[in-house]
Amino acid sequence: MSLIKCTELQIGYNAPILSRAIDFSVEEGDYLTIVGENGAGKSTLMKTILRLIPALSGEISYGEGFSANEIGYLPQQTVVQRDFPASVKEVVLSGCQSLAGMRPFYSAEEKNLAIENIRRMGMEEYINHSYRKLSGGQQQRVLLARALCATKKLLLLDEPVAGLDPGAMMDLYELIHKLNDEGVAIIMISHDVQVAFRYAKHILHVGEDMFFGTADEYMISDMGKRFAPAKGGVQ
């Protein structure tokens, strides 16, 4: 079943970013990596899927029983966010806001969900630690736990390994891959095409030219060869 289907989608703010419309779909348990040149509109597309900004035209449809507020989202982290003065538990629990609705408190079930996802990300020993004192890789694990509190089906990850050292980067990629193996669908923006080939089931290339298909199809396509010759990738 498709969780998300985008048809003739035009994205942007006052004018379209891309000359061509976007067409793609994401199935349950899928792993889609979005690649493309800087400024091509990858983050704008992600925000449009989340309904943080409206589509200029076209349609985004969600699978039966699934909606935009059931998507877990890990945006690009800013310097201000890295210095956020809260405990790990408080940061992760804030991911339950969509479940809490207008209630001014979190339920016992929501608190248990936050603790479960902290454990899932291997951060249980840091549960009462200050988020700002964690390493970059640990902070991303916390934010991934937070995103998981909002969903059981789909995560949107905007360059989740940006700024991490190589060891922390690969640890996080493997963690995301494990979540996908457990049935969570992934949509991830990445500049590392080597990773796209290693983990992705499908690739969406946005830019002057467009591509949507399997990772194997992208690898042998003219676009794939131009963008990532010999799987060399770009940084």
Side-chain angles (χ1 to χ4, degrees), residues 55-230:
L56 297 179
S57 63
E59 181 182 6
I60 304 174
S61 57
Y62 302 90
E64 184 177 352
F66 185 69
S67 63
N69 64 1
E70 294 176 276
I71 299 173
Y73 178 42
L74 198 165
Q76 292 185 42
Q77 196 174 185
T78 66
V79 173
V80 172
Q81 288 170 328
R82 291 190 184 100
D83 202 36
F84 192 66
S87 71
V88 166
K89 184 178 179 180
E90 289 169 334
V91 171
V92 175
L93 191 55
S94 68
C96 295
Q97 284 180 348
S98 62
L99 301 176
M102 298 301 292
R103 278 189 279 109
F105 58 89
Y106 294 108
S107 68
E109 183 179 358
E110 289 156 359
K111 291 176 182 178
N112 288 335
L113 177 62
I115 293 170
E116 176 189 339
N117 284 319
I118 290 169
R119 289 175 179 156
R120 199 173 178 185
M121 294 298 100
M123 294 298 293
E124 185 177 9
E125 66 179 288
Y126 300 96
I127 192 166
N128 294 314
H129 286 222
S130 171
Y131 172 80
R132 71 200 324 178
K133 293 182 179 179
L134 300 178
S135 69
Q138 290 170 333
Q139 287 187 345
Q140 288 299 83
R141 283 174 176 258
V142 171
L143 294 179
L144 199 50
R146 180 184 186 275
L148 284 167
C149 285
T151 190
K152 293 182 179 179
K153 292 187 176 182
L154 177 62
L155 285 171
L156 269 60
L157 313 174
D158 192 347
E159 297 190 40
V161 302
L164 300 185
D165 64 68
M169 184 185 302
M170 292 314 301
D171 284 347
L172 196 65
Y173 278 138
E174 286 295 329
L175 194 55
I176 293 166
H177 179 58
K178 183 174 182 290
L179 290 172
N180 183 241
D181 281 346
E182 292 172 357
V184 180
I186 305 292
I187 301 178
M188 181 174 68
I189 294 173
S190 177
H191 282 94
D192 189 339
V193 182
Q194 287 181 313
V195 170
F197 285 130
R198 185 178 303 129
Y199 297 112
K201 297 173 184 174
H202 291 88
I203 292 178
L204 173 66
H205 185 124
V206 297
E208 196 169 311
D209 296 314
M210 305 284 287
F211 174 93
F212 172 65
T214 67
D216 287 342
E217 289 169 343
Y218 182 73
M219 189 188 307
I220 63 175
S221 70
D222 290 340
M223 184 182 301
K225 291 174 183 177
R226 290 199 310 270
F227 194 66

Side-chain angles (χ1 to χ4, degrees), residues 1-5 25-30 61-67 70 153-154 183 185:
M1 183 188 81
S2 291
L3 293 175
I4 291 177
K5 185 174 182 179
S25 61
V26 176
E27 306 294 316
E28 288 184 334
D30 209 345
S61 57
Y62 302 90
E64 184 177 352
F66 185 69
S67 63
E70 294 176 276
K153 292 187 176 182
L154 177 62

